[in-house]
Amino acid sequence: MSSTSPDRTADLQARLSAVRQRISDAAAAAGREQPSLIVVTKYFPASDAAILAGLGVRDVGENKAQEAESKAAELEHAGLNWHFIGQLQTNKAKSVVKYARAVHSVDRPGLVTALAKAMMAENSRRAEAGRPEREPLECFLQIDLRPQPDVAAGRGGAKPEEMLALAAAVEQEPALRLAGLMAVAPLGEDPAAAFSRLQQLSQELASRYPAADGISAGMSHDLEAAVAHGATHLRIGSDILGPRPTVG
């Protein structure tokens, strides 16, 4: 699946075009500007991300720290912005700040502290090498939208009532930038209802922190609902990359 053949390029181009049309249609239906597209390249080779860069994609998402670091290093000069979208262990923060423009899964104060310390270390490392400091790390607070989050295992995320305290923790760190909220629609629930709640939370957050008006929501199966409820960043994987490659 690591081929850069004309067939793979044509396949990605067709899939990307179809998704862009869906986004355009959804934005037109909602009477709003088109949100940013983050193509989720997890499990796919760096060669696919390189092809996508050639097709005009600028934002890609990964959710495994080791895989993301390797791809970002290989494609350092491809002009891509890397978004970390998966659950992040605090001991991986130092790795992530080397390449990521944004982390979409900030869900606890301990991770805020770890990312801030990692940013300080990264900027010190750059200064010693005679390089300029990196831009502040964009942080999206991941919110658990399940009505009863303690009932079953989830995909991570802070409770809605924890949002403002978590936002305040990010705002206190000069190397971090509070970008907005991220969420996944709960399994079995109408995505429109879930994203409506997320939009309301976003409005509450932006009333306190006007620059933190980003909403990272919407995947291949529910992007239209996300666009209708104010998503500014869509995380689309399978509808662009195709089925997950087989291992072995």
Side-chain angles (χ1 to χ4, degrees), residues 100-166:
R101 167 170 289 198
V103 173
H104 291 240
S105 50
V106 177
D107 61 357
R108 59 199 187 279
L111 181 56
V112 174
T113 300
L115 288 169
K117 289 181 178 178
M119 283 290 291
M120 185 180 301
E122 175 65 12
N123 283 329
S124 294
R125 184 180 70 85
R126 293 187 180 206
E128 291 173 1
R131 298 169 56 198
E133 289 189 353
R134 59 155 291 169
E135 71 282 358
L137 179 70
E138 296 180 12
C139 294
F140 289 82
L141 309 182
Q142 182 175 356
I143 303 298
D144 187 345
L145 293 177
R146 291 174 300 159
Q148 295 177 301
D150 294 329
V151 172
R155 303 186 187 184
K159 296 178 181 179
E161 58 267 29
E162 298 170 336
M163 176 184 72
L164 292 179
L166 193 58

Side-chain angles (χ1 to χ4, degrees), residues 23-33 35 224-231:
I23 295 171
S24 177
D25 291 346
R32 48 160 302 199
E33 294 183 359
E224 285 83 4
V227 173
H229 290 89

Side-chain angles (χ1 to χ4, degrees), residues 28-90:
R32 48 160 302 199
E33 294 183 359
Q34 292 190 36
S36 298
L37 170 62
I38 300 170
V39 181
V40 181
T41 51
K42 63 180 181 180
Y43 306 122
F44 288 86
S47 57
D48 278 354
I51 292 172
L52 290 166
L55 295 173
V57 169
R58 289 294 169 261
D59 295 277
V60 292
E62 292 283 335
N63 73 344
K64 301 291 184 184
Q66 186 173 354
E67 179 182 353
E69 183 176 11
S70 174
K71 288 180 185 176
E74 184 174 343
L75 300 174
E76 181 179 2
H77 302 295
L80 292 168
N81 302 316
W82 296 87
H83 298 252
F84 193 84
I85 62 174
Q87 293 304 112
L88 182 60
Q89 298 176 345
T90 55

